[in-house]
Amino acid sequence: MASQEELKKIRDDIDWANLGFSYMPVKTHIRASYRNGAWNKGELLPDPTITMSIAATCLHYGQAAFEGLKAFRCKDGAVRVFRPDENANRLNLSASRLLGPAFSVEFFNDLVRRVVLDNIEYVPPYGSGGSLYIRPLYIGVGPQIGVAPSSDYDLLIMVMPVGPYYKGGMKPVRALVIEDYDRAAPLGTGTIKLGGNYGASLKPAKIAKEKGFPIPLFMDPKTHQYVDEFGTSNFFGITKKGVYATPDSPSILGSVTNKSLQQIAEDLGMKVERRHIHRNELGDFAEVGACGTAVVITPVSEIVTVEKTYFYGETCGPTLKKLYNHMTGIQYGELPDTHHWLFEI
Ligand SMILES: Cc1ncc(COP(=O)(O)O)c(C=O)c1O
């Protein structure tokens, strides 16, 4: 654990304009525990290490789920979190699939509020383009050697400042369709945010990267005929007719960013379609984007499949740019929050 002086030096040395997306020790994280059938109200802890039984179920049987959301220093100086209710609900969905106990949205939001408040000096200043990344983690910690759910759980939330992904504009990236691996099973856990899903995606993501493709695109695991999602983000495209289209699939994660972008697209007068997208339809798009909390939107320049390569351009398209500006405008308090997405700290 870093000493007070080391922490202060790390904090004082932060270059707000050049933050990346990497781990950094901060003042505290918050940890709530479920013991004897009830959640305690959580505690702010300076030590970023955990002690647990070597037989904890999160280590052996994958009883581990997480979330990702962000707090922003807005134009008026206030700090606001983007749609924490959505992450609370999604984490509850993960918990219920793991047979872990539920918690209320109010309980989750209270933990978020307390940990952000205690680490408020780590929220990047308005104008730097950065934000405070909030990473909740839900784990079964009780010892268990037969395959069964734990009776004890921890819900902890860590935070760290992160930078804008795009410093010099949104540069489109190449995507490779993964033909030999799936990230989720047809009736598996693709719709929830289990740690194990990401373990399964490491190898195909590495293969794609080594071939020169920063992001892998997965097809539906049952038929490999329909588009599912990218490794860590949802797929959406703007058709040549100007329609926002995104896959409807039982094996993809319900992205908060995608849901928000669909609403923004509708607000901007666009037609939105959630439907199966056949791989042969990849040629119908004028623009393609990957969307998620970390980046909001990553424009995709081309998608390579075994049969064909589809090109969408080397510069970010106008609709993706408009959606990105609108979304970040709401997040930084530059545009009205008409849907009440921001949770004030
Ligand atoms: C597999 C996957 N899909 C989609 C997303 C985007 O979800 P969100 O917009 O809620 O961050 C993520 C990131 O959390 C992800 O890991």
Side-chain angles (χ1 to χ4, degrees), residues 15-37:
D15 179 1
W16 298 110
N18 289 296
L19 280 165
F21 193 81
S22 47
Y23 176 75
M24 178 187 298
V26 295
K27 187 179 164 200
T28 54
H29 71 278
I30 195 162
R31 196 183 308 172
S33 299
Y34 184 89
R35 302 285 185 276
N36 302 313

Side-chain angles (χ1 to χ4, degrees), residues 79-323:
V79 173
R80 298 185 178 92
V81 180
F82 190 70
R83 308 192 78 174
D85 296 23
E86 293 286 334
N87 298 89
N89 289 332
R90 193 168 67 187
L91 192 56
N92 258 321
L93 204 64
S94 300
S96 95
R97 179 69 171 79
L98 290 174
L99 297 183
F103 49 83
S104 70
V105 171
E106 293 71 31
F107 172 78
F108 180 86
N109 287 354
D110 177 59
L111 295 176
V112 168
R113 187 199 304 276
R114 284 157 62 204
V115 72
V116 172
L117 207 52
D118 202 47
N119 291 279
I120 203 89
E121 58 186 354
Y122 288 93
V123 183
Y126 173 71
S128 67
S131 54
L132 189 75
Y133 184 66
I134 304 170
R135 165 59 65 88
L137 177 69
Y138 180 104
I139 45 178
V141 292
Q144 187 81 38
I145 204 63
V147 179
S150 170
S151 52
D152 298 344
Y153 294 82
D154 281 354
L155 169 53
L156 56 92
I157 305 182
M158 57 182 180
V159 298
M160 71 214 68
V162 296
Y165 255 69
Y166 308 111
K167 295 196 181 87
M170 296 160 77
K171 190 165 163 28
V173 299
R174 304 166 78 205
L176 179 69
V177 168
I178 303 297
E179 311 283 2
D180 300 333
Y181 294 89
D182 295 313
R183 68 170 282 282
L187 298 174
T189 54
T191 48
I192 51 175
K193 210 162 165 67
L194 295 196
N197 292 350
Y198 296 83
S201 73
L202 290 175
K203 191 169 180 181
K206 178 169 184 271
I207 291 170
K209 203 160 273 173
E210 282 171 356
K211 289 183 177 166
F213 299 87
I215 54 175
L217 177 57
F218 292 96
M219 295 290 114
D220 81 278
K222 196 168 180 183
T223 69
H224 269 231
Q225 291 305 301
Y226 296 92
V227 177
D228 244 3
E229 65 174 328
F230 296 103
T232 57
S233 48
N234 270 186
F235 174 102
F236 76 102
I238 310 300
T239 68
K240 288 176 180 162
K241 291 182 176 159
V243 174
Y244 182 117
T246 192
D248 185 13
S249 160
S251 45
I252 63 174
L253 189 74
S255 153
V256 180
T257 312
N258 193 357
K259 190 173 170 183
S260 308
L261 288 172
Q262 288 172 51
Q263 182 64 59
I264 290 170
E266 276 179 359
D267 293 348
L268 294 173
M270 291 171 66
K271 190 169 171 216
V272 172
E273 289 176 355
R274 277 187 56 234
R275 58 175 171 82
H276 294 316
I277 296 176
H278 195 274
R279 55 194 292 153
N280 293 343
E281 287 180 71
L282 286 170
D284 297 346
F285 292 105
E287 300 174 47
V288 167
C291 64
T293 295
V295 290
V296 182
I297 295 172
T298 305
V300 174
S301 58
E302 67 185 87
I303 297 177
V304 175
T305 72
V306 276
E307 62 271 4
K308 206 169 165 180
T309 296
Y310 300 91
F311 294 99
Y312 307 106
E314 291 299 327
T315 54
C316 178
T319 309
L320 260 53
K321 187 85 191 126
K322 191 157 76 174
L323 291 168

Side-chain angles (χ1 to χ4, degrees), residues 82 263-264 267 326 329-331 335-342:
F82 190 70
Q263 182 64 59
I264 290 170
D267 293 348
H326 211 91
I330 293 171
Q331 290 174 329
L335 292 175
D337 177 23
T338 48
H339 298 289
H340 309 291
W341 286 340
L342 300 177

